[in-house]
Amino acid sequence: MSNALETLEDYWAAAAEPRPLVVFGAGRWGRVWASVAAGARGTGEGIALIARSNLDDTRAWQAEHPSRAEIVVTGDPESVLRDMGEGGNALIASRPKDHIRDVDLCLRAGVPALVEKPFSDDPAESARMVERAAAAGLVYGIGVEFSLLPELHALGEMLGSWAGTATLHWEDPDAEVRHGHLKRPHDEISLLDDILPHALSIFGVIAGSQPDWVMQKAFERGVRSAQLSLQDGKRAFRLFASKAMPERTRRFEIECQDGRNFVLDFAKTPARLTSGGRSVALDPRFGALSSTLRLELGAWFRALDGGQPAIVADLKTHIAMHARLRELLA
């Protein structure tokens, strides 16, 4: 279900709250997360970054910019979790094969966690961990930042009730530099393991409440390209993914049975929404919400307060669909 503009603005403001936060994984993405959190609150105070295998390199990264000075960089997650205090929470941005290890540490410490996609490389183990979290009364979620894309939610409001076909094109160069570092593939997950959570979360914004997903087919051509198709009643949802294209592509196309059509291009910021080939003018307030990661952080904080943003409410669906994907690819 799409979020009202006011809800997104609330998430943006919530991200500035100085809640104790530990980020697992000091690779490219963990550093991005630590920087986003520090930027939102205006200080690195209260943020810890866990660097198990690259402590010296991460401390050198920290020293490069004064905004990172207050971030605690350490290789000792147990001590950080033990000393977090009230309101402490975690972001797990380690590599997928290490997610279960880090989730287990958080569960044992009684700390809620937002886990980057995919929740793990093993959907059965993911399901067991979510059951443990529920039994302990802890909130867990999945990190799918583009589900908070403001222009996507504006599109959802425009579509209303609709029938037709939605197609997501998700393409990357073979060796891409993002946020100042080369993106490195993880051998333990396939291309569709990696992109499925993004596709589900994006489709979910325009699908309305509680879509009844049926995964009809999924296949991969080696490690470089893949396709996926889902059905929800009279609506079809398709994903075309590749990591061997000349340039980065993020394009979401909607063809409605009533003749309307929309294209959302979010390869760059700001995203561009068109209808019938013409640009759609949006409320300028959408443009001020310029970081999907900051919006996701704020949504996570609201989930800790008892809210039900999709990154939390849809977690079991993500894991079930990951299991179904593995069945189709077997």
Side-chain angles (χ1 to χ4, degrees):
M1 187 66 103
S2 60
N3 285 316
L5 176 56
E6 291 78 11
T7 300
L8 294 174
E9 289 177 325
D10 178 62
Y11 291 164
W12 185 268
E17 296 173 2
R19 306 183 188 223
L21 174 68
V22 55
V23 179
F24 282 82
R28 181 185 68 92
W29 202 236
R31 293 177 184 185
V32 169
W33 261 123
S35 298
V36 167
R41 64 182 68 186
T43 176
E45 187 174 354
I47 300 170
L49 180 59
I50 306 301
R52 284 188 175 92
S53 61
N54 59 346
L55 188 59
D56 291 342
D57 181 65
T58 303
R59 285 177 172 159
W61 164 85
Q62 180 186 29
E64 291 174 358
H65 201 282
S67 65
R68 305 167 185 163
E70 301 300 324
I71 297 173
V72 173
V73 175
T74 177
D76 184 3
E78 289 88 349
S79 295
V80 171
L81 292 170
R82 184 181 62 243
D83 298 337
M84 287 190 79
E86 186 177 354
N89 68 103
L91 288 168
I92 296 178
S94 49
R95 64 180 295 164
K97 71 180 181 64
D98 294 329
H99 285 184
I100 292 299
R101 174 200 63 188
D102 296 335
V103 167
D104 183 65
L105 279 174
C106 291
L107 283 170
R108 292 177 184 275
V111 173
L114 179 67
V115 184
E116 268 300 332
K117 56 81 190 172
F119 195 87
S120 83
D121 60 333
D122 182 348
E125 193 61 32
S126 297
R128 284 191 285 271
M129 285 295 178
V130 170
E131 289 176 1
R132 283 181 56 192
L138 292 172
V139 178
Y140 276 71
I142 185 166
V144 278
E145 62 167 308
F146 293 108
S147 64
L148 279 300
L149 185 70
E151 294 84 356
L152 175 62
H153 287 272
L155 172 59
E157 295 287 340
M158 293 175 192
L159 282 169
S161 179
W162 66 283
T165 302
T167 304
L168 177 61
H169 297 270
W170 192 285
E171 301 163 347
D172 293 299
D174 194 24
E176 182 184 22
V177 174
R178 295 285 294 167
H179 301 286
H181 294 273
L182 181 69
K183 291 177 67 174
R184 299 185 183 278
H186 299 301
D187 295 339
E188 65 267 31
I189 59 172
S190 71
L191 181 57
L192 282 179
D193 286 333
D194 190 33
I195 307 304
L196 174 64
H198 280 316
L200 278 177
S201 65
I202 290 169
F203 294 158
V205 172
I206 66 164
S209 60
Q210 299 180 329
D212 186 17
W213 298 121
V214 176
M215 189 178 293
Q216 295 181 315
K217 67 177 181 179
F219 61 89
E220 298 181 330
R221 296 186 180 94
V223 297
R224 291 179 172 267
S225 66
Q227 295 183 29
L228 173 75
S229 63
L230 302 168
Q231 194 77 27
D232 172 37
K234 296 181 179 179
R235 298 173 298 190
F237 297 84
R238 304 180 301 178
L239 167 67
F240 296 93
S242 173
K243 57 178 181 180
M245 300 299 285
E247 60 183 9
R248 175 184 173 89
T249 301
R250 300 288 186 271
R251 190 172 71 254
F252 192 31
E253 303 169 349
I254 314 293
E255 296 181 0
C256 301
Q257 290 181 0
D258 61 13
R260 293 179 298 161
N261 65 83
F262 297 89
V263 176
L264 177 61
D265 186 339
F266 58 104
K268 299 178 181 178
T269 302
R272 181 171 180 259
L273 179 62
T274 60
S275 177
R278 296 182 179 181
S279 294
V280 176
L282 301 178
D283 188 318
R285 291 159 60 196
F286 280 109
L289 307 174
S290 55
S291 168
T292 50
L293 282 175
R294 174 167 173 160
L295 288 165
E296 185 177 45
L297 182 63
W300 168 238
F301 286 172
R302 286 294 176 255
L304 296 177
D305 295 333
Q308 286 292 308
I311 57 174
V312 169
D314 294 346
L315 176 56
K316 288 185 177 180
T317 297
H318 276 275
I319 293 172
M321 296 302 287
H322 189 192
R324 173 60 176 157
L325 172 66
R326 289 290 180 88
E327 290 176 358
L328 290 175
L329 294 178

